[in-house]
Amino acid sequence: MRIFIATLGTETNTFASFPTGIDDFYDCFWNEGDIASAIPSPWSGPGQTWLKRAEAEGWEVVQSLFAFANPAGPTTRPAYESMRDRILGDLKAAGPVDAVLMFLHGAMIADGYDDCEADLVTRMRAIVGPEVRIGLELDLHAHIDDVLVAAADIIVFYKTYPHIDHNERAHEVFDLMKRTLAGEIAPEMALFDCRSIGLFPTTMEGPMPGFCAEMEAAEGKGGVLSLSLNHGFPWADLPQAGVKMLAVVDGDAALAESVAVDFGRRFYAIRKEATLPFTPFEEAIAEAGIAGDMPLVIADTADQIGSGAPGDTTYVLRAFIEAGIRNAAVVPLWDPLAVKICFQVGVGARLKLRIGGKYEPHSGPALDVEAEVLHLAADSWQGHIGDEKIRIGDVAVVRVDGIEVLLTTLRTNLYSLDLMSRHGIVYETKQVVSIKNLYKQKDLFAPISRKQLFVATPGTSNPDWKALPFERLQRPIWPLDDDPLGLNQA
């Protein structure tokens, strides 16, 4: 067999006012045709998995571009079209192939393109024709409709939120593709629109772990090949946005439709109980002032880069100072200019420093402080799963009124506790730690925090869905509308 592999993705927040450009892909993940050489990461993992699996089968592999950018506003048209056309050009130049495997995000929007994935895969289909098989792995915070389903043969979404199964799902895509190419199965896909938006963590107490277990238990039985709940990305004002249930079955379109409806309605029945709860900002700051036997963790959800926010607001830091909270940390905060200044003055220096609030209108006011430089690290990183590494650029840790603030030159979430430990912040000694994350940290901190709060702070990614200025979102949709499927499950 001869297969073609590539990667292209980012997650687009249509409410963010800063664009995603080509440099954002270079900064996050960029590899040209040699995925084996890339440092293991969530973005290199699927391509590396497919390359190893194909080589083990004795298949020939044609590699193209592998590129990912951190979430932000819409991708510029020149950036998207140049990457798309690079991949399409490589596919044309490859000549005949038996299959195409693509790792895409699913929520990439560019100027002039509401659905980059559908645009790219539809163009790929036109190049390879109807007989070549196309398999896709997508993030579960994607947008999908029948256009992408029609263009592909196999689609598999992450099952976990926080996302820890990117390589596992890559193996699933490969296994299904191998069986398809061998003539063992003939995948048929169907979507069910659950008419909902929101955030539905799969490790949170409640019904989601059981729902995920039900999906996995159904796979491999009665013709069901794969089941995926596409949670959707809620900060996107698009007609195709929202939760969808995808069923992949063997050779039976009617069965695919039936299974998608069945599991889609099961999710719809639990949607309210499965939704991540948020704590009001003032309430969280009040609780932060109370000492406990372990640190309190505050997730600054509306300014976390995983949902497309810049990651540079100072609302929590300012509130800590005004509340007299001193034994605290704020991690991470994106401020390349402040980091550069800290590198100029060096460790031990004390200086007046303007922190945050620089990048876009949602960034809010900057905070002027008296800072002491505690730690500097050039071209640094944090760990992830196994040997995976996340680049975070240059790092400066400063002390402000007793509060330790970790500043970076690359936008990042906290993926690992070593983001703090590698840069001199001793988590266990803090009364409270504020992190610019949404949910991916939950399992990390569960055994070592007295409580975790998911806080509705001011910022680009406001989790109050009814407050967002949706104009194009297809209505009715829950929770903006009570019972859009008419099943009396408000």
Side-chain angles (χ1 to χ4, degrees):
M1 292 294 172
R2 192 164 189 266
I3 68 170
F4 178 92
I5 64 173
T7 289
L8 180 62
T10 187
E11 189 173 46
T12 302
N13 185 327
T14 62
F15 303 110
S17 59
F18 58 105
T20 302
I22 197 71
D23 286 346
D24 295 303
F25 289 86
Y26 294 151
D27 286 343
C28 181
F29 180 69
W30 186 273
N31 179 278
E32 299 190 38
D34 184 18
I35 194 62
S37 69
I39 294 172
S41 73
W43 305 288
S44 65
Q48 289 173 333
T49 298
W50 293 332
L51 179 62
K52 291 176 184 176
R53 291 290 305 273
E55 289 177 340
E57 295 290 338
W59 296 358
E60 181 182 351
V61 181
V62 180
Q63 301 185 54
S64 183
L65 178 66
F66 303 88
F68 237 86
N70 278 316
T75 300
T76 64
R77 188 169 191 144
Y80 167 62
E81 290 183 343
S82 67
M83 293 182 290
R84 177 198 69 188
D85 293 348
R86 162 70 185 275
I87 293 171
L88 295 176
D90 287 347
L91 181 59
K92 290 177 183 177
V97 296
D98 297 288
V100 174
L101 298 181
M102 290 286 294
F103 174 40
L104 307 170
H105 186 284
M108 182 178 182
I109 301 167
D111 297 336
Y113 300 92
D114 277 352
D115 189 341
C116 292
E117 289 81 5
D119 173 66
L120 173 59
V121 179
T122 299
R123 291 172 187 266
M124 297 183 93
R125 175 59 73 194
I127 292 170
V128 301
E131 300 304 318
V132 172
R133 301 306 178 193
I134 298 177
L136 310 177
E137 178 179 353
L138 302 178
D139 189 301
L140 59 75
H141 291 121
H143 317 299
I144 186 172
D145 60 17
D146 289 329
V147 176
L148 190 60
V149 171
D153 296 283
I154 298 165
I155 301 175
V156 173
F157 291 85
Y158 299 166
K159 279 189 169 65
T160 63
Y161 175 40
H163 308 321
I164 58 173
D165 64 338
H166 44 282
N167 292 337
E168 189 177 348
R169 299 285 75 79
H171 281 292
E172 181 180 349
V173 171
F174 192 91
D175 289 338
L176 291 174
M177 182 59 73
K178 178 183 174 183
R179 295 176 66 193
T180 301
L181 294 176
E184 296 176 12
I185 56 173
E188 292 281 350
M189 298 191 291
L191 273 180
F192 177 78
D193 191 340
C194 300
R195 309 301 308 138
S196 305
I197 60 170
L199 296 163
F200 312 100
T202 60
T203 62
M204 187 177 74
E205 296 78 4
M208 279 303 290
F211 177 80
C212 293
E214 289 177 7
M215 285 197 295
E216 293 193 38
E219 293 174 331
K221 300 173 184 174
V224 176
L225 300 174
S226 175
L227 295 175
S228 299
L229 181 70
N230 169 39
H231 296 207
F233 183 62
W235 292 284
D237 190 15
L238 292 175
Q240 67 267 38
V243 182
K244 311 284 174 60
M245 186 69 215
L246 176 71
V248 186
V249 309
D250 184 12
D252 188 337
L255 175 62
E257 182 72 24
S258 173
V259 173
V261 170
D262 176 28
F263 276 87
R265 290 190 172 191
R266 291 192 207 186
F267 167 77
Y268 186 81
I270 65 171
R271 69 196 187 283
K272 186 174 183 180
E273 191 180 357
T275 300
L276 181 66
F278 292 92
T279 300
F281 184 47
E282 295 77 10
E283 183 179 322
I285 299 303
E287 188 154 353
I290 302 171
D293 56 344
M294 289 191 289
L296 172 72
V297 175
I298 289 179
D300 183 356
T301 65
D303 188 46
Q304 64 95 20
I305 70 111
S307 57
D312 71 339
T313 68
T314 61
Y315 294 108
V316 175
L317 177 57
R318 184 188 301 271
F320 282 175
I321 294 171
E322 292 176 351
I325 298 168
R326 297 295 178 259
N327 185 22
V330 174
V331 180
L333 196 150
W334 180 54
D335 195 331
L337 181 56
V339 173
K340 182 178 180 180
I341 293 170
C342 290
F343 268 78
Q344 287 179 327
V345 299
V347 172
R350 297 175 184 270
L351 73 160
K352 294 182 183 295
L353 189 66
R354 174 162 287 184
I355 294 177
K358 299 180 178 70
Y359 201 65
E360 67 149 355
H362 291 109
S363 295
L367 184 62
D368 294 333
V369 300
E370 297 282 346
E372 177 186 1
V373 181
L374 301 179
H375 175 88
L376 297 172
D379 193 21
S380 196
W381 53 272
Q382 60 178 310
H384 192 224
I385 300 169
D387 60 352
E388 292 181 347
K389 293 182 179 180
I390 309 292
R391 294 180 57 239
I392 58 177
D394 297 340
V395 172
V397 177
V398 299
R399 183 183 289 125
V400 177
D401 285 332
I403 302 164
E404 294 173 11
V405 184
L406 187 145
L407 307 169
T408 67
T409 57
L410 294 182
R411 296 166 61 236
T412 188
N413 286 132
L414 181 147
Y415 287 85
S416 167
L417 297 173
D418 74 0
L419 178 61
M420 290 181 282
S421 62
R422 294 188 70 253
H423 301 101
I425 296 176
V426 183
Y427 164 80
E428 294 80 5
T429 66
K430 303 304 177 191
Q431 177 175 317
V432 56
V433 174
S434 172
I435 56 174
K436 288 189 179 290
N437 274 40
L438 185 47
Y439 187 80
K440 63 170 56 78
Q441 76 287 346
K442 190 261 188 185
D443 297 336
L444 290 174
F445 286 106
I448 58 172
S449 64
R450 62 184 172 91
K451 192 174 186 180
Q452 296 186 65
L453 302 178
F454 305 94
V455 181
T457 52
T460 303
S461 303
N462 185 349
D464 181 357
W465 317 122
K466 293 185 178 181
L468 294 176
F470 288 112
E471 295 179 354
R472 303 179 63 206
L473 190 65
Q474 192 176 54
R475 304 289 292 272
I477 195 166
W478 182 86
L480 307 185
D481 306 290
D482 286 341
D483 186 20
L485 289 184
L487 300 180
N488 298 316
Q489 297 286 344

